[in-house]
C-alpha cells in the first residue's frame, strides 16, 4: 500500500512538472504580433518568442521629467508598466496639430477610463506652452482623459527625448541638429516595457483605428 501511494505521488508530481514546463514553453514561444522598432529608420523587427526581446531589442524610452498642464511633475514613473502613446505638438500650430489632437481623441474615447493606457503630448515650443497655456488648450479641446498629459519643460530635454528615444522624425532620426525645430505628424506607440511598437500618421483617422487596435493587442497579448 505504501509503495502504491508513493508511486502515485511520484507520477502526479511528474505530471505537474511536465504541465508547468509546457505552460512555461508556451509563454516563452508565444508569437508576438506587433513588431519592435530599435533604430531611427523604423525598420520593423519581428520576433518569434519573448525570450529574444532583452538581447535583440535593447532600445527603450529614456527617463524624463516635465511639467504637465496642471503644473504636476510627470516622470517616467507615469508610464512604468503601462502602454503609452506619444505625440509632439504646439498649441498655436495652425496646420497639422489641431488635426492630430482631434484624431487622437478618437482613440481617447476607447480608452477614456483605462488607467493603464497613457497619452503624452509633448510641446515642441515649451518656451511658449507653459502649463496654464496647455491647460487652456486641453479644456478648449474638450479632452476628458485624466492621464492624457500635455508636457512642457526644457527645450533641449524635450528635443533629445523626441529624437533619441522616440525617433520622432524617423526619416532623419537623431542625426538632426538638436537646435532645429521639431515638427512631426507621427504618433509613437510604446509598450509597458518602454519599447517602441508602432508609428502612425496622426493626420489620418484610419491610422487611429489601427492604433487603437494595436493598443488592444498589446493589452491582451503581451
Amino acid at each position: 500500500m505504501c509503495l502504491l501511494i508513493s508511486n502515485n505521488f511520484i507520477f502526479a508530481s511528474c505530471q505537474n512538472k511536465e504541465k508547468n514546463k509546457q505552460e512555461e514553453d508556451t509563454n516563452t514561444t508565444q508569437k508576438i504580433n506587433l513588431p519592435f522598432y530599435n533604430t531611427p529608420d523604423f525598420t520593423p523587427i519581428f520576433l518569434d518568442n519573448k525570450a529574444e526581446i532583452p538581447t535583440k531589442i535593447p532600445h527603450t524610452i529614456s527617463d524624463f521629467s516635465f511639467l504637465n498642464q496642471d503644473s504636476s511633475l510627470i516622470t517616467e514613473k507615469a508610464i512604468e508598466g503601462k502602454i503609452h502613446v506619444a505625440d509632439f505638438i504646439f498649441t498655436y500650430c495652425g496646420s497639422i496639430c489641431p488635426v492630430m489632437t482631434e484624431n487622437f481623441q478618437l482613440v481617447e474615447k476607447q480608452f477614456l477610463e483605462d488607467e493603464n493606457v497613457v497619452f503624452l503630448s509633448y510641446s515642441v515650443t515649451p518656451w511658449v506652452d507653459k502649463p496654464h497655456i496647455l491647460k487652456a488648450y486641453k479644456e478648449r479641446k474638450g479632452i476628458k482623459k485624466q492621464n492624457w498629459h500635455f508636457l512642457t519643460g526644457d527645450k533641449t530635454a524635450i528635443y533629445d527625448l523626441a529624437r533619441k528615444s522616440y525617433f520622432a522624425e524617423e526619416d532623419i532620426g537623431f542625426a538632426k541638429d538638436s537646435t532645429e525645430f521639431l515638427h512631426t505628424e507621427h504618433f509613437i506607440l510604446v509598450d509597458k516595457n518602454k519599447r517602441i511598437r508602432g508609428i502612425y500618421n496622426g493626420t489620418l483617422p484610419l491610422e487611429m483605428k489601427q492604433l487603437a487596435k494595436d493598443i488592444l493587442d498589446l493589452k491582451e497579448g503581451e
Side-chain angles (χ1 to χ4, degrees):
M1 177 66 70
C2 291
L3 180 61
L4 179 60
I5 293 174
S6 177
N7 287 340
N8 287 339
F9 177 79
I10 292 172
F11 178 72
S13 178
C14 290
Q15 276 190 319
N16 288 335
K17 287 182 180 179
E18 182 64 25
K19 180 180 178 182
N20 291 338
K21 184 177 184 303
Q22 289 175 349
E23 290 177 350
E24 182 178 337
D25 291 343
T26 298
N27 290 334
T28 301
T29 59
Q30 182 182 15
K31 185 69 175 178
I32 300 172
N33 293 325
L34 295 181
F36 294 86
Y37 297 93
N38 219 28
T39 55
D41 61 4
F42 273 88
T43 300
I45 301 173
F46 291 91
L47 300 180
D48 291 328
N49 62 72
K50 294 180 179 180
E52 298 177 292
I53 296 175
T55 55
K56 292 190 176 182
I57 313 296
H59 181 79
T60 58
I61 302 302
S62 299
D63 293 351
F64 59 86
S65 180
F66 301 111
L67 292 178
N68 74 356
Q69 70 282 345
D70 298 314
S71 295
S72 297
L73 190 65
I74 303 298
T75 71
E76 69 283 350
K77 295 187 182 300
I79 59 171
E80 286 181 357
K82 299 180 180 181
I83 296 165
H84 82 275
V85 184
D87 73 334
F88 300 86
I89 64 167
F90 56 108
T91 58
Y92 61 91
C93 169
S95 55
I96 65 173
C97 298
V99 177
M100 290 170 62
T101 300
E102 289 172 10
N103 286 341
F104 212 173
Q105 288 179 276
L106 300 175
V107 186
E108 176 199 24
K109 291 177 182 178
Q110 192 162 344
F111 301 97
L112 187 60
E113 304 297 333
D114 195 331
E115 296 182 355
N116 291 313
V117 178
V118 179
F119 296 167
L120 301 180
S121 290
Y122 295 89
S123 172
V124 297
T125 59
W127 58 91
V128 174
D129 289 330
K130 303 302 182 183
H132 71 280
I133 299 293
L134 295 173
K135 186 177 182 68
Y137 181 81
K138 184 175 182 179
E139 291 175 350
R140 187 165 67 251
K141 295 296 183 180
I143 293 168
K144 304 298 183 184
K145 185 172 175 60
Q146 292 297 312
N147 56 352
W148 183 345
H149 302 287
F150 288 80
L151 302 178
T152 187
D154 180 75
K155 174 193 172 184
T156 299
I158 290 175
Y159 278 39
D160 279 351
L161 188 73
R163 290 184 168 126
K164 296 179 181 180
S165 278
Y166 289 105
F167 306 143
E169 294 173 314
E170 85 294 342
D171 54 337
I172 300 174
F174 55 77
K176 191 171 184 178
D177 189 314
S178 62
T179 63
E180 293 185 56
F181 187 66
L182 170 68
H183 203 201
T184 176
E185 72 273 19
H186 292 116
F187 291 166
I188 311 298
L189 174 62
V190 183
D191 67 21
K192 63 183 180 180
N193 296 308
K194 302 178 187 175
R195 292 184 170 92
I196 297 175
R197 307 301 299 276
I199 178 173
Y200 311 83
N201 187 322
T203 66
L204 303 176
L206 186 62
E207 296 244 329
M208 296 301 95
K209 291 183 180 180
Q210 185 63 50
L211 171 57
K213 179 182 181 300
D214 289 347
I215 292 173
L216 289 175
D217 283 348
L218 284 182
K219 284 177 61 67
E220 296 172 1
E222 299 179 31

